[in-house]
Amino acid sequence: MEKRVYWLKSSVVRSDELLEGIIESATDAIIAIDEEHKIILFNPAAEKIFGYQVEEALGKDLSILLPEKVASKHFSFIKEFLKTGDSPVIGKVLEGVARRKNGEDFPIEISRSATKIDDHWIFTAIVRDVTQEKEMERRLLESEKLAAVGIAASRIVHDIKNPLIAIGGFVFSLLKKESSEEKRQKLELILREIKCLEKLLSDISEFAKPLKLEIKEADLTTVCQEAIEIYRPRLEEEGIEIELIAPEKPVKVFLDEARLKEVLFNMFQNALEAMSATGNGKLTVEIVPREQTVQIIIRDTGPGIPEHVLKQLFTPFFTTKKKGTGLGLSISHKIIEAHGGKIKARNYEHGAEFTIELPYRPG
Ligand SMILES: Nc1ncnc2c1ncn2[C@@H]1O[C@H](COP(=O)(O)OP(=O)(O)OP(=O)(O)O)[C@@H](O)[C@H]1O
Ligand SMILES: [Mg+2]
């Protein structure tokens, strides 16, 4: 094949210097491997993205940069290419997953090429870390989804509310006139069920409304302490102990106190429901100030959260409970995000752990 030249030969640049400059300064990772799947080129951007120093990466099998499943498939693509001279992954921009030195898997965009030099094939990949783009996409989708649910929910609330109020009114007037004890009990039961439905409707419209926060400076320890004292009797009734671990100095944070308490109540209620089956649980609320954030870590000693539940925890109306609405955590999520914070869940060795992170400046 005739060699084409891509730079002006009369200019002062030397081709190897030019190439090195490009590889050195590229913001995308450029990685080349030989026919044995060994890394033979690893540029500074690759060091930054993958966390390996070039000395560590060179000569190693490419599988150090890939999750196990992808690594074996990748090697078979190479072998196939060496046999047939063709591969479906060469010359295209594809999406994939790669692995950093710290074990974290992350989304990438990758384009691969194959070049023959002195009878040997060299495979080069240009890899872009698209973690941030994916995260933005996910957030956008999430907020679109929430907005759509919000609109649907407010329509439903609107259509159910008036008939429900009318039914409640009729039942109430029947109850006032009724003298038979048996019938009165039934009417009271209907009224109680109506109250539950009204509560559900108000939860839904609360969730559908845009949040308006009343932000004031407050001591986070006091806010948590007050929320705990309100919930303590309910917890103690189920034999559950609750403890606050907080720094000695006040932790001054700008927040909507009532809303934050609402979040804590949701967490306490969930923990209570998770632990009441076994009884004798322990709930710990820990306040941990950091450089730019303060964390409130809430740990229970319940059964923990199953993997499939963990994925949908903050999805509106997702519940595993017979009498749950599935709005507690999604409302909490919305409140914390409105504060510019984050809320995360995971399991620790004795149960479920929720971490609320709020913006904070130590001072
Ligand atoms: N501390 C916890 N331990 C185990 N599972 C939990 C815990 N907190 C939440 N969950 C799981 O997450 C689900 C969603 O919680 P969320 O508070 O949003 O809704 P809910 O409690 O089911 O209903 P609602 O709060 O609206 O009455 C629960 O149904 C439960 O399966
Ligand atoms: Mg709940």
Side-chain angles (χ1 to χ4, degrees):
M1 201 168 55
E2 190 193 335
K3 269 211 162 204
R4 292 172 67 195
V5 177
Y6 298 94
W7 51 86
L8 197 58
K9 282 215 160 156
S10 59
S11 72
V12 289
V13 290
R14 279 184 26 221
S15 62
D16 51 350
E17 267 183 358
L18 178 65
L19 264 180
E20 250 172 49
I22 291 170
I23 291 169
E24 172 103 25
S25 61
T27 49
D28 290 341
I30 302 177
I31 298 160
I33 54 168
D34 62 12
E35 292 176 356
E36 258 74 66
H37 218 232
K38 297 267 177 297
I39 301 171
I40 57 171
L41 172 78
F42 200 73
N43 76 336
E47 288 186 318
K48 220 163 123 198
I49 293 173
F50 285 91
Y52 288 100
Q53 294 296 305
V54 60
E55 300 81 11
E56 290 175 276
L58 290 183
K60 295 271 164 55
D61 193 280
L62 183 72
S63 59
I64 61 165
L65 308 180
L66 301 169
E68 295 84 9
K69 265 196 204 152
V70 184
S72 55
K73 237 201 282 173
H74 198 272
F75 201 14
S76 52
F77 272 135
I78 298 288
K79 283 192 223 151
E80 189 62 24
F81 179 89
L82 293 173
K83 253 196 261 160
T84 62
D86 195 20
S87 164
V89 301
I90 300 268
K92 290 195 196 108
V93 181
L94 298 171
E95 291 194 341
V97 186
R99 179 168 292 179
R100 295 188 223 276
K101 187 178 178 183
N102 65 11
E104 180 197 355
D105 290 343
F106 65 103
I108 55 166
E109 226 170 65
I110 176 165
S111 57
R112 302 176 176 88
S113 57
T115 326
K116 201 164 197 181
I117 300 174
D118 297 338
D119 252 6
H120 291 291
W121 282 104
I122 305 289
F123 303 92
T124 311
I126 298 182
V127 179
R128 209 154 65 82
D129 180 350
V130 290
T131 309
Q132 269 173 357
E133 282 94 326
K134 289 279 166 206
E135 177 61 20
M136 296 252 286
E137 245 171 57
R138 195 190 60 75
R139 278 178 174 236
L140 199 67
L141 260 176
E142 187 92 327
S143 57
E144 275 174 5
K145 210 165 69 182
L146 285 189
V149 171
I151 292 168
S154 22
R155 292 225 176 107
I156 296 170
V157 169
H158 181 260
D159 289 351
I160 298 179
K161 206 170 183 175
N162 289 334
L164 195 64
I165 290 173
I167 296 170
F170 283 131
V171 175
F172 191 67
S173 62
L174 284 177
L175 183 66
K176 273 208 299 199
K177 283 187 231 143
E178 186 55 65
S179 52
S180 141
E181 186 53 29
E182 195 196 335
K183 285 187 183 159
R184 286 183 66 89
Q185 275 183 7
K186 284 186 179 149
L187 289 171
E188 272 164 7
L189 186 76
I190 298 175
L191 268 186
R192 272 204 301 278
E193 292 296 321
I194 290 174
K195 281 263 151 17
C196 285
L197 283 176
E198 280 173 359
K199 161 86 171 57
L200 170 63
L201 289 185
S202 86
D203 276 359
I204 295 176
S205 58
E206 161 87 354
F207 167 76
K209 263 191 308 208
L211 260 187
K212 271 208 206 91
L213 296 181
E214 273 185 44
I215 300 280
K216 287 202 190 92
E217 191 173 23
D219 171 29
L220 194 58
T221 309
T222 313
V223 176
C224 289
Q225 188 75 57
E226 284 173 6
I228 287 174
E229 288 322 316
I230 291 174
Y231 240 76
R232 193 187 292 279
R234 257 178 267 188
L235 293 163
E236 280 177 353
E237 210 171 288
E238 299 283 339
I240 297 165
E241 217 187 300
I242 180 160
E243 185 193 9
L244 176 68
I245 305 171
E248 270 175 28
K249 277 202 291 185
V251 183
K252 296 279 186 197
V253 180
F254 284 92
L255 50 80
D256 185 324
E257 221 178 291
R259 292 296 193 173
L260 186 74
K261 281 184 184 159
E262 196 182 326
V263 173
L264 293 172
F265 293 152
N266 277 327
M267 304 273 157
F268 296 167
Q269 184 62 33
N270 282 343
L272 173 77
E273 284 161 356
M275 290 190 284
S276 62
T278 48
N280 291 331
K282 181 160 185 190
L283 189 57
T284 317
V285 181
E286 188 178 359
I287 299 175
V288 187
R290 300 199 181 273
E291 279 292 299
Q292 289 169 356
T293 56
V294 55
Q295 293 184 332
I296 310 168
I297 307 170
I298 299 153
R299 295 190 188 95
D300 65 39
T301 54
I305 309 164
E307 200 56 38
H308 73 280
V309 175
L310 212 46
K311 278 192 203 131
Q312 308 196 63
L313 217 51
F314 299 102
T315 305
F317 303 108
F318 175 82
T319 181
T320 58
K321 297 169 193 168
K322 259 200 193 138
K323 286 223 154 177
T325 312
L327 281 177
L329 285 178
S330 51
I331 292 176
S332 305
H333 189 257
K334 198 165 140 183
I335 293 173
I336 297 302
E337 288 227 314
H339 279 86
K342 278 189 219 146
I343 181 166
K344 284 181 291 190
R346 65 172 197 126
N347 291 307
Y348 78 111
E349 51 188 327
H350 301 298
E353 177 187 284
F354 285 84
T355 303
I356 300 169
E357 211 168 77
L358 293 171
Y360 168 66
R361 237 181 281 138

